Amino acid sequence: MILKAESVGRRFFRKRNGSNFFYAVQDVALTLRSGQLVALFGRSGSGKSTLLNMLSGLLAPSDGCVLLDNTNLYQMEDGALSQFRNEHFGVIPQGQAALQSLTVLENVLLPCTLFHDSTPQTEARAMALLEQTGIGDLRDVRPSELSGGEMRRMAIARSLIRNPDVILADEPTADLDDENTKVVLKLLKTVAEQGKIVFIATHDKDTFDYADAVYHMDAGKIKKEE
Ligand SMILES: Nc1ncnc2c1ncn2[C@@H]1O[C@H](COP(=O)(O)OP(=O)(O)OP(=O)(O)O)[C@@H](O)[C@H]1O
Ligand SMILES: [Mg+2]
């Protein structure tokens, strides 16, 4: 599969340099392919999360379009788009995104629960993902009891539960120690090797070693590292 951004831009209304708006992302062209792990570097505020959110169907661009194969995401109705996102995209959001009232297992199953797909098979799949990420023994624990690394692994397991074609990770190794960073990056690399599109926005230089391609973002503009 191919996820493509064509001349994508996003304007936000905020006073800056004498204007009432500014472009957080500007004229981005990007092609992401199955089987590849692609890293996006850039300093804080350069537009990484904004781009990632547009690629994942969460934030409509003000210019350009995002295509997964032949499907133009933002031409879909809201309901159809959320269904499509749930089917094809796994997102690991920046920061903490666990529901505290649910157990680890229930958090991982959440994307299935929301779309009424809770069968014994999905639960078995969730358990397998928790084992794979090394937190199987924490299935019945509440997120508040998890370490940062464990929480991140739970978020990764959740992003993979629907077996998505595209995984978009926003700083998945932020605040992790070296060991957990390796665990997380290896896991995402394996996912890419299994034929998924993996895109990681990050500050973490360790990601270089795992990336098939590297991009840099600066003030909303993207450049490929050759
Ligand atoms: N909803 C919004 N309204 C106005 N400005 C916004 C909005 N969301 C983000 N911005 C601004 O857009 C710019 C890009 O933000 P973004 O979150 O994409 O940066 P980032 O590269 O992910 O940074 P970080 O590395 O700190 O996560 C920032 O200046 C931010 O303040
Ligand atoms: Mg960000």
Side-chain angles (χ1 to χ4, degrees):
M1 290 188 112
I2 293 183
L3 180 64
K4 213 170 185 181
E6 289 180 353
S7 313
V8 162
R10 175 67 203 205
R11 200 170 49 208
F12 283 128
F13 288 92
R14 183 188 282 170
K15 285 204 190 323
R16 191 181 270 186
N17 301 330
S19 170
N20 282 331
F21 64 84
F22 76 102
Y23 278 89
V25 170
Q26 215 171 343
D27 199 24
V28 165
L30 182 66
T31 302
L32 304 169
R33 292 169 204 283
S34 300
Q36 290 197 339
L37 186 154
V38 176
L40 176 66
F41 287 88
R43 68 168 90 126
S44 179
S46 59
K48 301 183 299 298
S49 295
T50 305
L51 175 60
L52 200 123
N53 289 338
M54 291 192 285
L55 290 174
S56 63
L58 279 170
L59 178 72
S62 8
D63 307 277
C65 59
V66 178
L67 301 145
L68 182 63
D69 285 345
N70 294 319
T71 306
N72 189 332
L73 299 194
Y74 297 99
Q75 276 184 353
M76 274 186 265
E77 304 278 328
D78 277 0
L81 177 56
S82 24
Q83 188 84 44
F84 187 83
R85 290 188 56 240
N86 190 265
E87 234 167 77
H88 298 284
F89 291 86
V91 177
I92 303 162
Q94 183 166 18
Q96 212 278 99
L99 288 189
Q100 297 297 338
S101 57
L102 302 181
T103 65
V104 166
L105 180 64
E106 288 164 347
N107 263 286
V108 171
L109 280 168
L110 193 62
C112 302
T113 317
L114 289 174
F115 283 81
H116 312 292
D117 172 28
S118 298
T119 61
Q121 288 91 320
T122 52
E123 182 159 335
R125 186 172 155 72
M127 270 319 296
L129 284 167
L130 287 177
E131 295 296 342
Q132 209 185 324
T133 46
I135 53 170
D137 53 335
L138 298 172
R139 57 172 282 170
D140 295 322
V141 159
R142 304 274 162 189
S144 59
E145 294 173 34
L146 299 180
S147 73
E150 290 162 351
M151 189 99 74
R152 210 55 62 79
R153 284 185 262 165
M154 183 190 81
I156 293 173
R158 181 167 66 192
S159 76
L160 297 175
I161 186 69
R162 304 273 293 167
N163 195 24
D165 304 300
V166 186
I167 292 91
L168 298 152
D170 200 347
E171 308 208 15
T173 56
D175 313 320
L176 297 187
D177 59 30
D178 288 352
E179 199 182 322
N180 274 307
T181 295
K182 278 210 182 72
V183 169
V184 164
L185 289 173
K186 268 195 190 139
L187 194 68
L188 290 171
K189 183 71 178 176
T190 308
V191 170
E193 284 166 354
Q194 286 165 353
K196 311 291 185 185
I197 294 169
V198 179
F199 187 60
I200 304 180
T202 188
H203 292 280
D204 186 349
K205 298 283 181 244
D206 288 332
T207 313
F208 267 114
D209 302 337
Y210 296 82
D212 298 296
V214 172
Y215 287 84
H216 281 275
M217 203 146 197
D218 184 16
K221 295 198 172 137
I222 202 169
K223 227 189 211 159
K224 188 169 188 185
E225 183 160 304
E226 300 300 339

